[in-house]
Amino acid sequence: MARYNPKEVEPKWRAAWAEADAFRAKAEPGKPKYYVLEMFPYPSGRLHMGHVRNYSLGDVIARYKRARGFAVLHPMGWDAFGLPAENAAMERGVDPKAWTYDNIARMRSELKELGLAIDWSREFATCDVDYYGRQQSWFLDLFKAGLVYRKESVVNWDPVDQTVLANEQVVDGRGWRSGAPVEKRKLNQWFLRITAYADELVDSLKTLDRWPDKVRIMQENWIGRSQGLKFSFDFAGQTPAGFERGLEVYTTRPDTLFGASFVGIAPDHPLAEQLAAADPNVAAFVAECRRGGVSEAEIETAEKIGWHTGFKVKHPFDPNWELPVYIANFILMDYGTGAIFACPAHDQRDLDFARKYGLPVRPVVLPPGADPATFEIGEEAYTGPGTIFNSSFLDGKDVEAAKAEAIARIEAEGRGQGTTIYRLRDWGVARQRGWGCPIPVVHCAKCGVVALPKSVLPVALPDDLEFGKPGNALARHPTWKHTTCPTCGGPAERETDTLDTFVDSSWYFARFTDTEAEEPISKAAADYWLPVDQYIGGIEHAVLHLLYARFVTKALADQGLLSVREPFAGLFTQGMVTHETYRKQNGEWVEPREVEIVAEGKTRRARLVETGEPVVIGDVEKMSKSKRNTVAPEEIFEVYGVDAARLFVLSDSPPERDAQWSTGGVEGAWRFVNRVWAEFDSQPSELPAAGTPPGDKAEALRVLTHRTVKAVTEAVESFRFNSGIARLYEFLNGLKDFPAAGASPDVLAARQEALAAFARLIAPFTPHLAEECWSQIGGEGLVAEAPWPDFDPALSQDAVKVLPVQVNGKRRGEIRAPAGAEPAEVEKMVLDDPEIARRLEGLTIRKVIVVKDRIVNIVAA
RNA sequence: GCCGCCGUAGCUCAGUGGUAGAGCGCAUCCUUGGUAAGGCUGAGGUCGGCAGUUCAAUCCUGCCCGGCGGCACCA
């Protein structure tokens, strides 16, 4: 008997797939198409377990859909621009371009080793000039359409990475990559007008029914649409300079206008700045407001503080009612108008503030069932539904009706307007970095900012950028930026900012549909393949990449480059790969490979392989370099083969949850691979002639086979790969009851059927093993090109059912009945059964419940 | 605070309105020409807690407890 040797078997089949060009995507009209895509990797240099999991998941889908007769597109590329290359350049003096392409070469070979059913002919990297040049082309289209603009604004500046960050890239006030506290800087910046699509980005989330709710909710929160009212207060008495037209505020609660107590402005509101310039005390207060931290915890606990400006405004519905104007630290300049009217009774923040400064608290929304005479607000604002009272013409209305009425009244008086506002900001896309896609515009002293004509594209990066020191290598290049203005022919300077790498990844899926096309996107190919039917990646991109890609798709559709308005019809967010952590007594982290686990009874202890020094087993955490709890895929491939690694990572947990890597687990998968092979190896090549009628035993095996096909098919369809694999384990265990040695001809034939199904069922998970097994039993061609097995519904269930019999809900016996037996018939069988009868002695039968093919319950007393 | 997910064997996880399952680990035994291995058998579970619906609840409903994730001074 030959031992299974993945080191020989696996490369052999990869070569066979390449030889057959098995995974080339071909648009075939009349055949249903399926586009499966995993988020493409950043070429950091090494494949990690997260990649193994991500791409194995996608590969299961790709192989399964192919077996199901779909024309499948499953491509691979590289998200190749970005800072790590520049950092490597600075640290090690290498060229970012060479570094990146070297990494790509290494990772490509590692990915190929995984045996993925990928059409490698479509591979590209975003740093290929063929790619980013075409990105510049559609960037110019958006420019022309007014979706790109430049403005001076306060931006997030990452002092470590020395670049601007988009709002989405600032997490808890820190740069998402560097972790450095972000500074505010006023810069000329390039923006993409994502807010023009805010409504559609929210509204069409509803159509993405194959996206996780979680991601849709996160995007909805991020866009943060709210309907409300913008209106102006007139000043009473003294009017500050520049505010002759009043003080504009935004509110979502115009129904509570009669509960107004004061008006608040943000510390960096123009009025506050004006006052601060004139009065050092105000300036000191504003400075104090700014000192507050930016983290959630700090904001949470920050006390509300205010400064009474001395100004007063008139209530819009009662000119004799005057409200004081405060500068308050809890008001944000970059939301709404940076000014609010406060209704303490129905807003907690306003209430905290009002209590502190002794301002009136007047309830105007009466909760259902409350008595208007006695209803009072304590330390908790009432924000629920109710009936408006104490509110003149709004009295008696519910909250929604009162909102509409208040807005109508304000609009009629010309004081303001019902408005929808968003938390979403336009996307700042310029980065002051050299290793990125150049923005195709020039600055001309005479003509200003001039977009280049498409005829001069691509604007390629120079090959001799100098990355040895911090800052923008493109800006300091001696000659690159000097050019001529396409409008006037005079001297001009190229824009030296490059595009955010999220721009690169916002359309790559469309380019994959035809990587040869002259134009950025081949309309015909995109129309055939898009949208991506199944997109797979990490949850960390829920509001970054996934939002940008949706926006760019819509914008490109409006420029006529695409037909779809949503790029990803189905989204799956997979969990992370985790591992136990280990530390020495001195607290130093230790890698799993340096540790051996010893079981002492039921407790596990760890020690260093080298010295035997005891090691503390810590928490299970995401594999990371800092905790040193990583396991290198190539070392696993070397020992157990690729299939065992794939199998384990797919079988360990549901794909959306974290998977915990363990040596024991991968060893279990490896043993499974060997047992599968042994089972196939034991099948004789001489088989009985077809048509041998199956006896009971053969029939039982056929039932097992067909049930397994059904269960695995359903599991794969619903992304429960781990369940599917669990069924395959059970299938293999079940096969042991039907050994080839000494089997009768009919059983041997049933075994052949079982194995033929088995090879095809494991093909998406362990493709190399599947080929070897398929070939062993004389399967035709490659299993990668074989159709998915069908199941016979009649065989996927038993002919004879074992029905448990309960008496008063407790199991008291069982009977065997033909499948589909009628309740009356079953009842008779049960009551005739001597064992059951014994159980019922002395009891009166009240009721007999027969659930067809399931169970019988006798209620007796 | 709001929203979402999770709680089943020692561990990692399947599963189902009716009989509780896999891998790993553990124990017993077998094999010793698959051997830095393989196989047989087995033990181990109030299915987080309480209540409700039901003939019957691990599963449905409600409340509670515990863990994880996202959002949040957004007017």
Side-chain angles (χ1 to χ4, degrees):
Chain A
M1 184 192 291
R3 226 179 132 75
Y4 185 72
N5 182 357
K7 272 192 208 163
E8 283 172 19
V9 170
E10 292 181 345
K12 177 177 76 184
W13 292 111
R14 285 198 291 274
W17 297 326
E19 174 71 20
D21 202 13
F23 308 127
R24 183 179 294 273
K26 291 186 224 62
E28 293 176 57
K31 205 172 173 183
K33 67 91 187 179
Y34 203 89
Y35 185 178
V36 54
L37 182 68
E38 304 95 42
M39 290 179 187
F40 65 166
Y42 177 80
S44 57
R46 284 263 172 247
L47 204 65
H48 55 67
M49 271 314 163
H51 292 125
V52 173
R53 191 174 195 210
N54 192 205
Y55 299 115
S56 297
L57 288 168
D59 202 45
V60 172
I61 302 283
R63 287 175 179 273
Y64 172 74
K65 288 293 176 183
R66 189 177 299 279
R68 278 296 197 177
F70 287 82
V72 171
L73 172 57
H74 186 211
M76 180 61 69
W78 309 95
D79 187 14
F81 274 135
L83 270 175
E86 291 194 40
N87 290 339
M90 249 191 296
E91 286 159 20
R92 277 170 273 164
V94 294
D95 173 42
K97 187 173 178 179
W99 181 86
T100 302
Y101 281 104
D102 284 352
N103 284 350
I104 287 174
R106 191 175 316 127
M107 286 181 72
R108 180 194 299 121
S109 79
E110 288 179 337
L111 271 181
K112 285 195 169 176
E113 203 181 340
L114 257 181
L116 303 171
I118 279 175
D119 180 355
W120 284 99
S121 74
R122 293 172 189 249
E123 177 192 356
F124 64 77
T126 56
C127 63
D128 295 343
V129 69
D130 278 352
Y131 181 79
Y132 71 75
R134 291 180 169 89
Q135 182 163 299
Q136 291 166 342
S137 166
W138 65 250
F139 182 87
L140 292 171
D141 290 335
L142 299 199
F143 190 94
K144 202 174 284 174
L147 291 170
V148 177
Y149 66 95
R150 189 173 154 83
K151 98 177 165 192
E152 171 148 289
S153 66
V154 177
V155 295
N156 308 301
W157 177 261
D158 186 320
V160 170
D161 285 346
Q162 300 232 332
T163 187
V164 170
L165 297 177
N167 287 351
E168 288 80 357
Q169 295 159 355
V170 178
V171 180
D172 280 349
R174 291 169 182 273
W176 71 302
R177 277 197 174 283
S178 70
V182 163
E183 297 167 6
K184 296 286 178 194
R185 284 204 184 177
K186 223 169 198 179
L187 285 177
N188 250 317
Q189 251 283 34
W190 289 96
F191 289 91
L192 290 187
R193 209 178 291 280
I194 189 171
T195 54
Y197 290 87
D199 275 320
E200 192 190 340
L201 286 167
V202 179
D203 291 338
S204 58
L205 282 172
K206 283 197 289 290
T207 66
L208 300 176
D209 55 348
R210 291 200 297 117
W211 278 43
D213 289 342
K214 183 178 180 154
V215 174
R216 291 193 286 180
I217 290 166
M218 283 167 76
Q219 291 213 352
E220 199 174 332
N221 287 344
W222 185 263
I223 296 166
R225 176 164 65 188
S226 73
Q227 324 265 6
L229 170 69
K230 251 185 204 175
F231 71 98
S232 295
F233 281 101
D234 290 335
F235 282 88
Q238 200 198 344
T239 298
F243 288 88
E244 292 75 15
R245 303 181 63 176
L247 178 63
E248 192 177 45
V249 301
Y250 174 77
T251 180
T252 56
R253 293 300 301 272
D255 55 309
T256 63
L257 261 168
F258 283 98
S261 170
F262 62 97
V263 166
I265 60 174
D268 36 5
H269 190 276
L271 177 55
E273 287 184 341
Q274 191 183 116
L275 295 173
D279 181 347
N281 293 319
V282 178
F285 173 78
V286 167
E288 194 188 336
C289 292
R290 285 190 182 142
R291 229 191 343 267
V294 286
S295 81
E296 284 174 18
E298 286 167 309
I299 289 167
E300 181 77 16
T301 53
E303 199 186 346
K304 297 199 171 23
I305 52 174
W307 180 271
H308 189 188
T309 63
F311 288 109
K312 291 194 187 90
V313 295
K314 298 180 197 166
H315 193 279
F317 297 140
D318 179 357
N320 298 318
W321 182 357
E322 295 183 352
L323 303 167
V325 177
Y326 280 81
I327 302 169
N329 65 335
F330 67 92
I331 299 164
L332 308 174
M333 190 56 218
D334 58 4
Y335 186 80
T337 61
I340 61 158
F341 92 82
C343 173
H346 304 293
D347 183 287
Q348 192 60 45
R349 296 155 302 179
D350 298 350
L351 183 62
D352 294 344
F353 193 89
R355 291 294 185 218
K356 177 160 177 182
Y357 292 100
L359 295 157
V361 177
R362 176 181 178 184
V364 291
V365 180
L366 189 64
D371 179 355
T374 57
F375 179 64
E376 275 182 15
I377 298 290
E379 288 310 310
E380 210 166 305
Y382 179 72
T383 55
T387 309
I388 306 296
F389 71 129
N390 290 337
S391 293
S392 172
F393 63 93
L394 297 177
D395 281 352
K397 295 182 187 299
D398 66 28
V399 166
E400 289 312 310
K403 279 182 185 172
E405 179 65 26
I407 291 171
R409 184 73 70 108
I410 293 275
E411 285 180 346
E413 289 176 8
R415 300 181 151 276
Q417 233 181 343
T419 316
T420 302
I421 69 162
Y422 307 90
R423 189 177 164 284
L424 183 70
R425 293 280 161 272
D426 276 335
W427 178 14
V429 293
R431 297 292 178 270
Q432 292 67 48
R433 311 299 325 171
W435 184 235
C437 171
I439 296 174
V441 302
V442 300
H443 301 271
C444 171
K446 215 189 293 174
C447 313
V449 172
V450 181
L452 289 167
K454 284 191 186 176
S455 57
V456 306
L457 295 185
V459 176
L461 289 171
D463 279 328
D464 55 348
L465 283 174
E466 215 221 296
F467 286 93
K469 45 191 171 179
N472 185 349
L474 209 46
R476 65 171 172 257
H477 187 274
T479 57
W480 183 80
K481 66 183 166 193
H482 303 297
T483 185
T484 52
C485 172
T487 306
C488 69
E493 278 198 8
R494 291 187 190 281
E495 172 63 63
T496 58
D497 283 357
T498 55
L499 289 172
D500 183 0
T501 57
F502 279 106
V503 177
D504 309 339
S505 57
S506 68
W507 70 290
Y508 76 107
F509 49 87
R511 182 69 191 167
F512 272 141
T513 64
D514 182 352
T515 50
E516 304 293 316
E518 259 319 304
E519 61 273 34
I521 297 165
S522 152
K523 193 81 184 294
D527 282 353
Y528 179 81
W529 289 111
L530 292 179
V532 174
D533 296 281
Q534 188 63 60
Y535 198 38
I536 303 169
I539 187 82
E540 67 273 17
H541 287 113
V543 286
L544 286 160
H545 163 59
L546 289 167
L547 187 64
Y548 295 143
R550 293 183 61 221
F551 155 62
V552 168
T553 299
K554 292 171 193 302
L556 294 182
D558 285 339
Q559 302 316 306
L561 274 74
L562 280 174
S563 301
V564 296
R565 298 195 73 81
E566 283 292 342
F568 313 122
L571 172 69
F572 193 90
T573 52
Q574 99 274 13
M576 298 177 300
V577 180
T578 62
H579 197 289
E580 276 181 336
T581 50
Y582 307 106
R583 324 179 73 144
K584 291 201 259 189
Q585 304 297 326
N586 64 12
E588 231 175 83
W589 300 104
V590 191
E591 284 186 29
R593 51 184 294 185
E594 301 172 85
V595 172
E596 66 181 337
I597 305 289
V598 217
E600 287 177 16
K602 287 196 170 172
T603 56
R604 299 166 67 244
R605 290 184 202 288
R607 62 182 183 220
L608 282 185
V609 176
E610 198 113 314
T611 61
E613 180 188 340
V615 168
V616 179
I617 301 178
D619 291 340
V620 173
E621 299 190 54
K622 180 185 179 177
M623 283 190 181
S624 74
K625 281 181 193 158
S626 60
K627 301 263 167 76
R628 305 196 69 186
N629 61 338
T630 56
V631 172
E634 67 266 24
E635 291 174 18
I636 298 297
F637 298 168
E638 177 67 21
V639 178
Y640 303 101
V642 168
D643 281 340
R646 288 177 56 130
L647 183 67
F648 173 51
V649 90
L650 290 167
S651 67
D652 182 65
S653 9
E656 69 274 19
R657 278 205 245 160
D658 289 352
Q660 187 180 333
W661 185 272
S662 67
T663 307
V666 71
E667 280 172 356
W670 159 244
R671 278 199 281 271
F672 177 78
V673 166
N674 281 287
R675 289 206 309 267
V676 168
W677 171 246
E679 200 61 53
F680 277 82
D681 197 34
S682 73
Q683 180 76 344
S685 50
E686 300 294 318
L687 289 169
T692 318
D696 283 352
K697 189 164 186 194
E699 198 61 22
L701 176 53
R702 298 199 65 213
V703 166
L704 176 64
T705 301
H706 286 258
R707 274 191 182 173
T708 302
V709 171
K710 180 169 191 275
V712 174
T713 304
E714 287 168 0
V716 172
E717 288 279 354
S718 57
F719 252 95
R720 292 175 294 117
F721 302 154
N722 58 324
S723 308
I725 292 169
R727 296 305 294 254
L728 290 166
Y729 272 95
E730 290 174 27
F731 191 22
L732 184 67
N733 287 343
L735 274 171
K736 280 183 200 147
D737 295 335
F738 307 92
S744 55
D746 62 330
V747 169
L748 217 48
R751 265 182 66 89
Q752 184 71 9
E753 180 192 38
L755 295 176
F758 202 105
R760 285 176 290 166
L761 292 178
I762 59 171
F765 308 106
T766 54
H768 311 85
L769 172 67
E771 293 291 359
E772 188 73 5
C773 290
W774 183 248
S775 141
Q776 169 70 14
I777 57 163
E780 194 182 323
L782 292 167
V783 76
E785 295 179 320
W788 192 250
D790 289 320
F791 62 89
D792 179 347
L795 278 172
S796 63
Q797 48 197 320
D798 290 323
V800 174
K801 297 278 183 186
V802 176
L803 306 184
V805 179
Q806 297 178 332
V807 177
N808 293 333
K810 294 214 168 64
R811 191 167 185 275
R812 290 291 183 242
E814 59 184 39
I815 59 153
R816 302 171 77 81
E822 290 305 316
E825 197 183 329
V826 173
E827 182 173 337
K828 185 168 180 305
M829 290 171 67
V830 169
L831 297 179
D832 288 349
D833 189 281
E835 173 67 10
I836 309 290
R838 198 177 60 76
R839 293 282 189 176
L840 289 169
E841 261 169 40
L843 296 174
T844 313
I845 297 171
R846 293 264 160 88
K847 199 171 169 190
V848 179
I849 299 136
V850 179
V851 182
K852 206 175 195 178
D853 292 343
R854 299 301 287 271
I855 199 165
V856 181
N857 191 20
I858 300 165
V859 185

